[in-house]
Amino acid sequence: MYAQMVQSTGQGAKSREDMSPEERAFQDRIDADQKIEPRDWMPDGYRKTLIRQIGQHAHSEIVGQLPEGNWITRAPTLERKMILLAKVQDEAGHGLYLYAAAETLGISRDELTEQLLSGRMKYSSIFNYPTLNWADIGAVGWLVDGAAIMNQVPLQRTSYGPYSRAMVRICKEESFHQRQGYDIMMKMAQGTVAQKKMAQDALNRLWYPSLMMFGPSDADSVHSAQSMAWKIKINSNDELRQKFVDQTVPQAKYLGLTIPDDNLVWNEDKGGWDYSDPDWSEFFDVLKGNGPCNTERLEARNKAWDDGAWVRDGLMAHAQKKRAAAAAE
Amino acid sequence: MSKEWPLWEIFIRGQHGLSHRHVGSLHAPDAEMAIKNARDVYTRRNEGVSIWVVEANNIAASSPSAKGPLYEPSESKIYRHPTFFDIPDEVGHM
């Protein structure tokens, strides 16, 4: 998802017998669906796992602006351009809500930024793929935001209050993103032969990377087990991926586009579609930094940070000067 | 890394007649910029008619561990709720 393979304590969910009285009281609150707030006592592992997860989620929102920003100057009409601008601006807002939630756990914004820029913290693998034609912008909204929603809707119920509230805001806005993407796809798919070909091409390239967003199966992951006990992860990766496929297949059919999977077949028993797994070796390779755009993305973020330094410093100096002048009056 | 901008807590009045409500936080060098940023971040879809910004370190908060002593005293005072009193139906709406 926007946060993939988040490491937890690495020891699986703790049994009640192994918990300290504080941990037990904490787990009771979570089991009773009470929200944990920043100043409440929490296990160190809970805090650290959340910082990793929310941080990675925030970084994904920010880096996710790059593939779409790529098309702002080349959108086919002024209306499409304004819509895309609004969407990219939303992504900046989403990053900000999430950074603010992570900061309540005791890490600073600059530390988070520094860890993204140095490559120590990750962002979603999906944003290391390029957006090559205008239909890619449609496919990103439809598939990538669609996959994100799958994960973000249940996360509104996550146990950490600030994270949950950020998710509520994000989900409200995310629906616009997916629908604008699908709107582009409809236009292209119902357009000229060349336009339809572009739409199919976008689906072909982005289908498997979108499935990868959920991360590999975590049925046996000790990290996921602990995160689920703490309700900072609500569904398994496979569950969400299946839901995404089931939702997307009829949408592709409506567009008259073909999902690039010969094994896609309706399975009556499970009431869902059987589908091919993405190439997980490609996924791990992208995580390692070898995707088509990893270098470009990190360079762009580093450049933005460096180029913006004088603005940040200048505004701060101006604010201090104004404060000093006001104090002297 | 340069010095970080301070953190501001943002409160928005959603509609005329309602109270300001905490919606989130952001970093800004001063109050003026905090309001401008809050406009861009928290009112992109007509969510507000008025914005308050408060520097986060100026907020004093009750401690989570004081929850008991602070709120328990009111738990037993159920007579503070109107439903505590039975009013006969004949009396009509009260």
Side-chain angles (χ1 to χ4, degrees):
Chain A
M1 195 27 53
Y2 272 26
Q4 294 159 323
M5 307 193 64
V6 176
Q7 303 240 322
S8 185
T9 56
Q11 280 143 22
K14 237 186 194 179
S15 71
R16 283 192 76 79
E17 298 82 71
D18 293 339
M19 289 181 189
S20 68
E22 276 168 321
E23 286 173 323
R24 221 169 295 147
F26 177 82
Q27 190 63 48
D28 287 343
R29 289 187 60 195
I30 288 183
D31 293 343
D33 276 333
Q34 282 184 23
K35 297 283 183 235
I36 308 301
E37 295 296 341
R39 299 177 68 209
D40 294 343
W41 184 89
M42 60 186 85
D44 205 37
Y46 179 84
R47 184 185 297 278
K48 283 186 178 149
T49 309
L50 266 178
I51 289 176
R52 266 182 229 124
Q53 178 171 330
I54 303 176
Q56 201 187 112
H57 197 155
H59 296 328
S60 298
E61 301 282 357
I62 297 302
V63 177
Q65 294 179 104
L66 296 170
E68 295 188 302
N70 181 37
W71 280 90
I72 290 174
T73 54
R74 283 172 280 168
T77 67
L78 183 58
E79 189 186 50
R80 291 283 181 201
K81 182 179 181 144
M82 291 193 305
I83 293 171
L84 185 57
L85 256 175
K87 186 192 184 254
V88 173
Q89 191 190 13
D90 272 358
E91 305 298 1
H94 295 181
L96 187 138
Y97 307 153
L98 288 160
Y99 280 133
E103 286 173 77
T104 63
L105 291 158
I107 187 163
S108 76
R109 177 76 58 89
D110 278 2
E111 282 173 278
L112 285 163
T113 306
E114 193 274 322
Q115 293 193 24
L116 167 69
L117 298 182
S118 68
R120 264 196 299 150
M121 275 180 100
K122 300 286 179 209
Y123 52 89
S124 176
S125 57
I126 188 74
F127 302 118
N128 290 314
Y129 290 86
T131 43
L132 301 178
N133 83 49
W134 171 251
D136 287 26
I137 297 304
V140 164
W142 171 38
L143 300 173
V144 175
D145 288 277
I149 290 170
M150 284 291 150
N151 186 49
Q152 289 170 344
V153 166
L155 274 178
Q156 293 178 98
R157 291 182 282 114
T158 187
S159 61
Y160 189 55
Y163 192 25
S164 156
R165 292 189 284 275
M167 279 300 137
V168 170
R169 294 194 69 87
I170 288 175
C171 285
K172 268 191 203 149
E173 300 177 347
E174 203 77 68
S175 169
F176 146 59
H177 296 178
Q178 194 187 13
R179 291 173 74 136
Q180 67 86 33
Y182 197 70
D183 187 63
I184 292 174
M185 292 307 277
M186 284 196 294
K187 253 289 183 300
M188 301 286 285
Q190 292 158 6
T192 64
V193 174
Q195 284 171 325
K196 187 167 181 185
K197 230 171 116 183
M198 284 163 80
Q200 182 63 54
D201 174 53
L203 174 58
N204 290 350
R205 280 180 293 104
L206 286 165
W207 174 252
Y208 287 104
S210 297
L211 294 187
M212 288 178 201
M213 286 177 67
F214 299 92
S217 176
D218 60 349
D220 305 317
S221 161
V222 286
H223 298 292
S224 292
Q226 176 61 79
S227 288
M228 285 173 110
W230 279 334
K231 293 191 188 161
I232 58 187
K233 184 177 171 71
I234 313 289
N235 306 91
S236 77
N237 295 347
D238 290 327
E239 248 176 324
L240 292 172
R241 186 169 19 248
Q242 182 68 53
K243 233 173 129 185
F244 172 73
V245 171
D246 292 346
Q247 176 192 283
T248 310
V249 170
Q251 294 169 349
K253 198 174 162 209
Y254 178 84
L255 294 172
L257 299 179
T258 311
I259 288 178
D261 181 356
D262 294 336
N263 299 318
L264 194 72
V265 55
W266 178 255
N267 180 329
E268 193 63 54
D269 292 340
K270 71 172 181 186
W273 293 85
D274 286 336
Y275 59 91
S276 303
D277 252 347
D279 175 358
W280 290 115
S281 63
E282 177 184 318
F283 170 78
F284 288 112
D285 211 32
V286 171
L287 281 200
K288 259 187 248 148
N290 302 323
C293 300
N294 294 59
T295 313
E296 191 186 326
R297 300 292 185 238
L298 269 190
E299 272 174 11
R301 287 316 308 153
N302 272 288
K303 183 175 185 309
W305 179 255
D306 294 342
D307 289 355
W310 70 272
V311 180
R312 294 191 300 275
D313 294 344
L315 283 174
M316 199 64 199
H318 176 68
Q320 275 161 353
K321 222 162 103 183
K322 256 196 338 192
R323 249 196 304 270
E329 265 173 28
Chain B
M1 293 278 161
S2 56
K3 202 171 156 281
E4 238 181 54
W5 289 350
L7 188 69
W8 299 77
E9 298 301 332
I10 312 301
F11 300 81
I12 305 250
R13 185 198 300 285
Q15 284 169 36
H16 290 290
L18 296 183
S19 320
H20 285 75
R21 216 178 132 209
H22 183 244
V23 292
S25 36
L26 51 77
H27 289 272
D30 57 24
E32 199 186 329
M33 283 298 295
I35 290 175
K36 284 187 175 139
N37 291 350
R39 194 275 313 259
D40 288 344
V41 177
Y42 292 108
T43 65
R44 290 199 299 282
R45 290 175 176 81
N46 273 326
E47 290 102 330
V49 293
S50 164
I51 299 172
W52 286 352
V53 299
V54 183
E55 212 177 317
N57 61 20
N58 286 329
I59 292 184
S62 64
S63 150
S65 58
K67 226 186 255 172
L70 280 180
Y71 309 115
E72 254 159 33
S74 72
E75 272 173 28
S76 56
K77 298 178 179 56
I78 49 170
Y79 46 81
R80 287 180 171 171
H81 297 278
T83 46
F84 178 76
F85 306 94
D86 284 327
I87 303 291
D89 288 346
E90 301 94 282
V91 178
H93 177 73
M94 185 180 283

